[in-house]
Amino acid sequence: CIDCAAGKYLNATGSDEASDCIDCLAGTYLDATGSDEPSDCIACDAGKYVEAAGSVEAGDCIDCAAGMYVMTIASDQASDCIDCDAGKYVDTAGSDQAGDCTDCGASTCVGTAGSDEASDCIDCDAGTYVAATGSDVPCRPSWTAWHVHPVSSCNTATRSRRRPLCIMHKYIDLQQQSWLDIGKWVSLWSVSRG
């Protein structure tokens, strides 16, 4: 009697042709000859898949591409691999957990799923911010505000007999959680309201 080839098994007696041997299913492989049970076929590890039936070695299992992962064993098609969420990336192939996907750092964002390197996380432009890691939303403009404060050194040439109210233009830096000054104290009446 002749053994069925690697990648195949035969669980019936009295067979007389090599074609009676059955391929292991896609998502599995079998590196031994003469197997007699479908359970002899070995599942590809999580993070990998194989689309062809009758695979003969673990090396036939293909890593999910960088930017993707698959948590189940015996995956049988590339579409089983799942993109890392927007705001995250994974730069190695064969990832087997969603947790392998790394958050983009603070002050960076990526709006698309399946990012495969840290450089996909784009730095916020000047004047914009992202407050959290793993952001999938575009950087937002920094907040601005007017801090109102009466000072005696403001321009006193006003139409009112009252001491003029002066203000300082400030913006909030969410990375440092602090208000920062922009410019100088100016008369309230000199500020355009736009």
Side-chain angles (χ1 to χ4, degrees), residues 40 50 118 130-131 167 174 190:
D40 293 339
V50 65
V130 169
I167 59 175
L174 292 180
S190 71

Short mmCIF file of all heavy atoms in Angstrom, two decimals, residues 40 50 118 130-131 167 174 190:
data_model
loop_
_atom_site.label_atom_id
_atom_site.label_comp_id
_atom_site.label_asym_id
_atom_site.label_seq_id
_atom_site.Cartn_x
_atom_site.Cartn_y
_atom_site.Cartn_z
N ASP A 40 -5.77 15.11 11.35
CA ASP A 40 -4.31 15.18 11.22
C ASP A 40 -3.87 16.49 10.57
O ASP A 40 -2.71 16.90 10.72
CB ASP A 40 -3.79 14.00 10.37
CG ASP A 40 -3.97 12.65 11.07
OD1 ASP A 40 -4.10 12.63 12.31
OD2 ASP A 40 -3.99 11.64 10.34
N VAL A 50 -3.99 30.43 4.73
CA VAL A 50 -3.60 29.77 3.48
C VAL A 50 -4.87 29.49 2.70
O VAL A 50 -5.84 28.97 3.23
CB VAL A 50 -2.75 28.50 3.70
CG1 VAL A 50 -3.52 27.41 4.42
CG2 VAL A 50 -2.17 27.99 2.38
N ALA A 118 4.64 53.69 11.64
CA ALA A 118 4.46 54.85 12.51
C ALA A 118 4.41 56.15 11.71
O ALA A 118 3.71 57.09 12.08
CB ALA A 118 5.58 54.91 13.54
N VAL A 130 -4.19 67.36 18.68
CA VAL A 130 -4.97 66.16 19.00
C VAL A 130 -4.65 65.87 20.45
O VAL A 130 -3.50 65.74 20.84
CB VAL A 130 -4.58 64.97 18.12
CG1 VAL A 130 -5.20 63.69 18.65
CG2 VAL A 130 -5.03 65.18 16.69
N ALA A 131 -5.68 65.80 21.27
CA ALA A 131 -5.47 65.69 22.72
C ALA A 131 -5.15 64.27 23.18
O ALA A 131 -4.54 64.09 24.21
CB ALA A 131 -6.71 66.21 23.44
N ILE A 167 -7.33 93.82 27.16
CA ILE A 167 -7.38 92.36 27.07
C ILE A 167 -6.07 91.82 26.52
O ILE A 167 -5.33 92.53 25.85
CB ILE A 167 -8.55 91.90 26.18
CG1 ILE A 167 -8.40 92.47 24.78
CG2 ILE A 167 -9.88 92.26 26.79
CD1 ILE A 167 -9.43 91.96 23.82
N LEU A 174 -3.30 72.36 24.62
CA LEU A 174 -3.88 71.18 25.26
C LEU A 174 -2.82 70.14 25.63
O LEU A 174 -3.04 69.31 26.49
CB LEU A 174 -4.94 70.55 24.36
CG LEU A 174 -6.18 71.41 24.20
CD1 LEU A 174 -7.18 70.72 23.31
CD2 LEU A 174 -6.82 71.71 25.54
N SER A 190 -9.89 98.30 20.56
CA SER A 190 -9.08 98.12 19.35
C SER A 190 -9.17 96.72 18.77
O SER A 190 -8.60 96.44 17.74
CB SER A 190 -7.60 98.41 19.67
OG SER A 190 -7.07 97.38 20.48
#
